[in-house]
Structure formats: C-alpha cells, structure tokens
Amino acid sequence: QITLKESGPTLVKPTQTLTLTCSFSGFSLSSNGVGVGWIRQPPGKALEWLALIYWDDDKRYSPSLKSRLTITKDSPKNQVVLTMTNMDPVDTATYFCAHREVYGGHDYFDYWGQGTLVTVSS
Amino acid sequence: QSVLTQPPSVSGAPGQRVTISCTGSSSNIGAGYDVHWFQQLPGAAPKLLIYGNNNRPSGVPDRFSGSKSATSASLTITGLQAEDEADYYCQSYDISLSGSEVFGGGTKLTVL
C-alpha cells in the first residue's frame, strides 16, 4: 500500500526559504522507473506542477520556478525534500507530493499525499 | 493562464452524460504526450481517474472514460451520480520551455 505525507511549516514570512518533506511508504525510490513529484494549489485555484525527482536522481523543475526550487531525495529514509527560496504571499498554497512510476509505457502521478497548507505572510 | 484549456464549469442531471474537454497544442497533446485525468473532491487530494488517455486504474467505475484526438482530450462521465460533483483536471507534458508537466485550469462539475 503506497502512502505519502507532506510535512513542513504552516506559516512562512516573505523572503524566507520554505522546506517541505514528503515521507512515503509502500515503494522504494531506488527502484527503476519510480519518481516523486511536488504539485501545489493556491486556494480556489488550479493545480501547478513544481518539481519531480526519479530513482536515478534525474531532476525536473517547472521552468517558471526553476531558479527558486531544489528537490532532493533520501532513499534510505524514504523521503523527498523540496526547498523553495524567496517565498512571497502568492506562494500561499496547499503543497502535495505524489508518487510516479512508469507502467507499460505510461508515466503518471498515481498516489497523492493529503497536502499541506503553507501560508506566506508577515 | 493554463497551457491546457478546460471549461470552468459543466453541469448535468443525475443519470445524464457529461463531457469535459481539455484543449492543448502541438507542443503537448498534439506532440503525442499522454493525457491523464484527476478528480478532486472538496477538501481532498486529487485522485487519478484516467491515465494514458483512456485507461482506468483499478477501482474507477467504467462510467468514466477518456479519449484523445489531435490536440485535445476529453473525459466523459455517463450515468451521472451526485458523488461525481467535484473538480476535474487534465494533465500532460509540454516540450516547450525545456519541458514541463502541465495541468489544465480545472472544471467544476455540478450535479443538478
């Protein structure tokens, strides 16, 4: 059974750096074809993909946020960490992590965490 | 402005059929990339509904189906039920701007 859970601060100040951790179980990020991604959703708005890391440490970032994002993995600990620098009130959102795996040529987010709401305010 | 365009809202009565469109371009859907669909109930995380254009994960009722043609994709729900009231998102990959996973703007389905 695959589960993921996001953790981190609920409130950050403008210009600060946000660090979020995705802790997961039921799969290994050392296994061929496996990845974990981060997606966010501002209140009342659409989903926005942020970053993705694969078992082989291949890292992908949203082009519009690439300069502010870093994604890393700790496979033995079953964790993926996302950092976002220079936080702004527009970054207020629920942040989700999600499992990704290649199945029969298809590659998609199939299991999601519950999400964690991060508010950016002074 | 999302790279994939969805209607903001659709509605239908119980038992009816509704279709949600997802319009892309030659750099995403038209380039042959898969389209996936997610259902998001109020206050919940997105749930995978359709993967690889027209495949249902285990446990998803066959009332939900997906299709893809040229630069667009569609999600069709038949036999509409009250519990289908939710937000629906399409998702694909875009090769412009160094490549990126992209989501549609979402469609709110109201069951009348």
Side-chain angles (χ1 to χ4, degrees):
Chain A
Q1 179 192 2
I2 291 176
T3 64
L4 304 98
K5 187 171 184 178
E6 308 84 355
S7 60
T10 58
L11 179 66
V12 297
K13 292 181 174 10
T15 74
Q16 286 187 335
T17 293
L18 171 69
T19 299
L20 293 173
T21 300
C22 176
S23 302
F24 56 84
S25 64
F27 67 94
S28 172
L29 200 39
S30 299
S31 299
N32 196 14
V34 175
V36 171
W38 286 93
I39 302 98
R40 72 178 178 179
Q41 185 174 37
K45 296 190 177 180
L47 300 168
E48 178 185 21
W49 172 71
L50 301 177
L52 179 56
I53 189 165
Y54 284 101
W55 85 102
D56 58 357
D57 213 36
D58 179 16
K59 300 171 185 179
R60 315 278 178 89
Y61 295 101
S62 166
S64 63
L65 293 167
K66 185 175 183 178
S67 63
R68 299 173 53 205
L69 296 173
T70 303
I71 189 169
T72 58
K73 64 181 176 70
D74 187 332
S75 299
K77 282 188 176 180
N78 283 350
Q79 290 182 334
V80 170
V81 175
L82 180 76
T83 60
M84 180 180 289
T85 61
N86 194 24
M87 293 292 285
D88 183 273
V90 300
D91 297 313
T92 293
T94 296
Y95 288 75
F96 298 97
C97 63
H99 169 267
R100 180 132 169 161
E101 189 164 352
V102 178
Y103 300 103
H106 301 295
D107 186 8
Y108 49 90
F109 296 115
D110 53 356
Y111 296 92
W112 293 59
Q114 64 190 24
T116 185
L117 175 61
V118 178
T119 301
V120 184
S121 174
S122 54
Chain B
Q1 198 77 341
S2 301
V3 172
L4 303 178
T5 301
Q6 298 180 233
S9 63
V10 297
S11 63
Q16 285 190 332
R17 163 184 166 146
V18 295
T19 297
I20 298 172
S21 61
C22 174
T23 303
S25 67
S26 59
S27 63
N28 41 69
I29 299 175
Y33 292 104
D34 278 346
V35 177
H36 316 298
W37 290 90
F38 298 90
Q39 176 193 60
Q40 188 176 32
L41 298 171
K47 169 192 170 186
L48 180 67
L49 209 56
I50 297 288
Y51 69 90
N53 308 314
N54 55 16
N55 301 285
R56 281 187 312 277
S58 174
V60 173
D62 59 6
R63 303 187 294 104
F64 295 90
S65 63
S67 64
K68 174 186 159 183
S69 178
T71 58
S72 294
S74 295
L75 172 71
T76 298
I77 309 171
T78 58
L80 205 56
Q81 298 181 4
E83 58 259 37
D84 298 334
E85 186 160 295
D87 292 325
Y88 293 83
Y89 293 91
C90 59
Q91 187 253 312
S92 186
Y93 181 82
D94 192 288
I95 58 172
S96 63
L97 300 174
S98 304
S100 174
E101 306 289 331
V102 288
F103 284 91
T107 298
K108 169 68 177 176
L109 168 62
T110 299
V111 181
L112 302 171

